[in-house]
Every structure is written in structure tokens, then in C-alpha cells.
Amino acid sequence: MSRIDIETKLKLREMGVTTLLDAFDAQDDVLTLGLAFEEKIKLTVDDAHSAFTQTRVEGLICRANPRYPNADLLRLDLVDERGLNRSMIAGLGTCSFIDRQQNVVS
């Protein structure tokens, strides 16, 4: 539980950094006991940045409107009847074709 007063919380909300405020609130005093102030801030900012990035990625996926938004290469069914090449699928997953400026559809 954070020890941030209500006025400071209102200011953080007004500034639009609610993810940082949530990270401060979620910070466990027992786990951070003995850490220096700088380390506590670093952990809090890391947590807030992770939440911010996750929200951003979810928003981008939603706006892209993919047919299968929960698709995952790790859960791809690679049975032999489908004729999918495992190494090619793994290569596509690295997105290295972008750096090489190659088309994936011919």
C-alpha cells in the first residue's frame, strides 16, 4: 500500500499518469523493505511502463481488427497434413523478412 496523499494522487491523475499511480498503489511494502528509494522508484516506473506498453499493444491490436486477435505462433497446429514447414514458420515469426525487404506473399 502506498503512502501517497490524496492531493498528490489527484495531481498524478490530472497529469495523466494513472498507470504510475496504480504501480505505486500496487507496490508491496514488505517486498520493497530494505530497498533504496531509487530502487523503489525504478521498480514502480518499470511496472507502470509495462502496464502502459501492454495497454498500447492491446489498443493497436484492437484497431488493426485482425481476424484472429488471439493467434499465436506457439499454438499453431503444425500437423503434417497441413504441409506447413516448421523452420519457415519460425523464420516468419522473427520478422527478419522485413529487414531483408522480402515479400512473404508471392
Side-chain angles (χ1 to χ4, degrees):
M1 184 75 178
S2 71
R3 289 176 243 137
I4 299 175
D5 64 355
I6 293 174
E7 183 179 343
T8 304
K9 287 182 179 185
L10 289 172
K11 288 177 183 177
L12 287 169
R13 280 191 187 13
E14 183 179 320
M15 291 172 23
V17 288
T18 54
T19 53
L20 183 61
L21 180 58
D22 293 341
F24 274 120
D25 285 339
Q27 194 176 59
D28 189 353
D29 287 337
V30 175
L31 295 176
T32 59
L33 188 68
L35 291 179
F37 175 76
E38 293 82 8
E39 287 298 314
K40 288 181 182 182
I41 292 293
K42 183 179 182 294
L43 287 173
T44 305
V45 170
D46 286 347
D47 287 346
H49 186 264
S50 294
F52 171 79
T53 303
Q54 181 64 31
T55 302
R56 187 169 181 218
V57 167
E58 288 170 0
L60 290 170
I61 290 172
C62 184
R63 281 191 304 230
N65 196 22
R67 181 181 288 177
Y68 304 105
N70 295 325
D72 186 358
L73 285 178
L74 298 176
R75 295 185 298 187
L76 186 62
D77 188 14
L78 293 171
V79 293
D80 292 332
E81 299 88 41
R82 293 184 71 187
L84 297 175
N85 183 335
R86 289 179 190 272
S87 61
M88 182 175 287
I89 298 294
L92 290 172
T94 65
C95 297
S96 60
F97 62 90
I98 296 171
D99 294 331
R100 294 190 310 261
Q101 298 178 355
Q102 292 178 317
N103 291 329
V104 292
V105 180
S106 49

